[in-house]
Structures are given as structure tokens and as C-alpha cells.
Amino acid sequence: MGDMTAKARVADLVIAYAVLVDASNACDALDEVVVAAGSWAAARELLRACGYLRVPRRAMSNKIPAEAVEAALTNPGMVLRKRFRADTPWTPAI
């Protein structure tokens, strides 16, 4: 799933985006997750704290959906999620 990760830098923040298996570990439960943090490592720790255990060590792309970047910049440090390819708003990951 490493090809479904992306990173972008905006000012002093790293926007981390990934498609990951959610905390339920159901076979079809994929989440799109995004977070703005100081580094990829910091973003990875925030994602792990929300139950996403297999977070890649590095991003494979720099292409992040515009709405994901906007959501992350609105709430730096907060992990946001939505179901993969769902037409739903970004919500806080708990």
C-alpha cells in the first residue's frame, strides 16, 4: 500500500496523506487519512496514535487531493479521515 501515500510541504508544515486500513482491520475498511505536522515522522506518530498501525516510513508521491490539503491546513495536528473514495466530508479520526 506504499504507493497510496503522498507528502507535500506548505510553509513549515508537512501534509501527510495515505490510504490505510482502519482500526477495525476489516478487509474492506480503507480510510483516506490526512494530517498537517512538522515532519513525516511526526505525522506518522499522529496516525499511529489514531489506530493506523501500518503507516509507511516515507511517502511515495507528492500528489495530494486539494480538498485533503485544505482540510489538513484548517486543523494542523489533527488526523482527519474519510472512507476511501467516498464523497463525504473529512472528519476527525478518533
Side-chain angles (χ1 to χ4, degrees):
M1 205 170 300
D3 61 331
M4 299 180 90
T5 59
K7 174 176 86 170
R9 182 166 289 282
V10 177
D12 61 343
L13 292 173
V14 169
I15 310 300
Y17 169 85
V19 177
L20 302 170
V21 175
D22 77 359
S24 73
N25 206 23
C27 65
D28 62 345
L30 291 177
D31 286 346
E32 290 180 66
V33 292
V34 66
V35 62
S39 66
W40 180 266
R44 190 170 180 259
E45 289 306 312
L46 289 167
L47 292 167
R48 290 176 58 85
C50 289
Y52 298 99
L53 301 179
R54 294 189 176 161
V55 182
R57 292 190 183 270
R58 66 178 80 78
M60 302 307 262
S61 171
N62 62 358
K63 297 178 182 176
I64 301 176
E67 74 275 1
V69 172
E70 184 179 331
L73 291 175
T74 302
N75 301 295
M78 180 183 292
V79 177
L80 301 169
R81 65 169 288 278
K82 70 177 189 171
R83 281 288 180 224
F84 182 57
R85 297 194 180 194
D87 190 22
T88 57
W90 291 92
T91 59
I94 297 173

